[in-house]
């Protein structure tokens, strides 16, 4: 498996400095948080996109994916959601990124079946654009659909190879789902896996990998036993927890922890 980290852990850091961290600490790729407050976002000009892509190529680091914020099950008209996804897809294509992340974001007061159908319809529509650009849209296990069993209610009806799943191991765990069950549900659709660690179920402050409560050993074990060889991306949520320890000082130990888990599972 290849290792990456998300720029959510180094908010606002310029691309050259992000790449310096990746190369210095042995990470193969970077997930870019595609938000206007970050250096890479959908409003970049063609020249800015080309420059960012060239920096990644020169460093020998992959753009794993773009972490977008489109909410595919949210109430409202389809057009704004589809426009947001299509902007992300075009940016991913220009950067050479294979994946775009979206959220479910259903209204809890809306009938479940209605939200699922809306999300599936939107993803099915966006899938054609994704196919034309050579990018996959990944629905993250998050918010209203935090488990694999919940995410599959949307992904199953879509039935398109350009629409898949992003397994966030924190959310499936908080949803009470065992790693083996999460993998079983998501495996046919799995794009990559976001790993992390937190202090507790009540306190989701990010901590160094292997020092919190998340079942990382079990997650890596089930992936290895099933022969999955994709990406593990460390999503350290520094942007939302300013008091959390800075990510750069944790990157070496985080990589070593994941490599150790992979070795033990092999």
């Amino acid at each position: 498996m290849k290792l990456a980290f998300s720029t959510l852990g180094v908010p606002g850091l310029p691309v050259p400095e992000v790449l310096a961290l990746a190369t210095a600490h042995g990470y193969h790729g970077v997930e870019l948080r595609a938000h206007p407050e970050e250096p890479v976002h959908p409003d970049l000009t063609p020249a800015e996109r080309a420059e960012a892509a060239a920096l990644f190529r020169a460093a020998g680091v992959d753009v794993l994916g773009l972490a977008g914020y489109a909410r595919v099950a949210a109430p409202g008209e389809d057009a704004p959601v589809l426009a947001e996804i299509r902007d992300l897809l075009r940016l991913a294509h220009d950067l050479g990124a294979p994946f775009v992340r979206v959220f479910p974001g259903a209204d809890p007061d809306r009938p479940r079946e209605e939200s699922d159908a809306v999300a599936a319809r939107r993803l099915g529509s966006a899938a054609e654009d994704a196919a034309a650009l050579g990018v996959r849209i990944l629905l993250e296990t998050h918010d209203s659909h935090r488990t694999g069993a919940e995410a599959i209610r949307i992904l199953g009806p879509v039935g398109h190879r350009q629409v898949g799943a992003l397994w966030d191991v924190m959310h499936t765990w908080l949803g009470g789902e065992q790693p083996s069950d999460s993998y079983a549900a998501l495996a046919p659709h799995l794009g990559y896996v976001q790993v992390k660690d937190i202090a507790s179920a009540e306190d989701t402050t990010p901590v160094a990998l292997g020092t919190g409560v998340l079942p990382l050993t079990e997650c890596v074990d089930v992936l290895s036993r099933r022969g999955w060889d994709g990406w593990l991306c460390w999503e350290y949520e520094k942007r939302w927890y300013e008091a959390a320890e800075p990510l750069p000082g944790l990157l070496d130990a985080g990589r070593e922890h994941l490599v150790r888990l992979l070795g033990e599972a092999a």
Side-chain angles (χ1 to χ4, degrees), residues 6 16 25 32 36 40 44 55 60 64 92 97 127 146 168 181 184 216 222 224 230 247:
S6 169
H25 298 286
L32 294 172
V40 178
L44 291 187
L55 288 171
L64 169 58
R146 70 188 338 175
D168 181 320
D181 294 330
L216 296 180
V222 72
S224 295
L247 177 62

Side-chain angles (χ1 to χ4, degrees), residues 17-216:
E17 295 179 43
V18 170
L19 291 170
L21 287 176
T23 55
H25 298 286
Y27 287 79
H28 309 99
V30 173
E31 178 193 74
L32 294 172
R33 178 176 179 249
H35 189 279
E37 66 187 20
E38 298 293 341
V40 178
H41 52 79
D43 290 332
L44 291 187
T45 66
E48 290 169 331
R49 295 170 185 228
E51 180 183 3
L55 288 171
F56 273 88
R57 285 195 302 271
V61 176
D62 290 340
V63 184
L64 169 58
L66 300 182
Y69 290 88
R71 296 180 181 273
V72 295
E77 297 297 319
D78 290 355
V81 179
L82 290 172
E84 187 174 356
I85 296 172
R86 286 165 179 152
D87 285 346
L88 289 166
L89 290 170
R90 284 189 287 270
L91 178 59
H93 171 267
D94 292 345
L95 296 175
F99 302 116
V100 159
R101 185 277 307 276
V102 298
F103 285 148
D107 182 345
D109 296 326
R110 194 178 194 180
R112 189 181 83 175
E113 295 78 11
E114 185 178 324
S115 294
D116 292 347
V118 166
R121 182 179 71 237
R122 290 169 175 169
L123 287 171
S125 178
E128 297 307 316
D129 299 273
L133 293 167
V135 180
R136 285 188 81 198
I137 305 166
L138 302 184
L139 179 70
E140 183 173 323
T141 53
H142 194 273
D143 56 75
S144 61
H145 294 67
R146 70 188 338 175
T147 66
E150 290 166 334
I152 203 67
R153 299 200 315 259
I154 294 173
L155 296 174
V158 175
H160 197 294
R161 63 184 299 274
Q162 294 304 120
V163 176
L166 199 173
W167 179 11
D168 181 320
V169 302
M170 179 184 75
H171 284 283
T172 53
W173 181 78
L174 289 173
E177 193 171 64
Q178 294 298 311
S180 58
D181 294 330
S182 299
Y183 180 81
L186 299 173
H189 311 277
L190 193 56
Y192 65 97
V193 179
Q194 282 182 343
V195 296
K196 59 185 71 173
D197 221 341
I198 56 174
S200 69
E202 296 74 32
D203 178 7
T204 54
T205 300
V207 297
L209 293 179
T211 66
V213 298
L214 293 184
L216 296 180

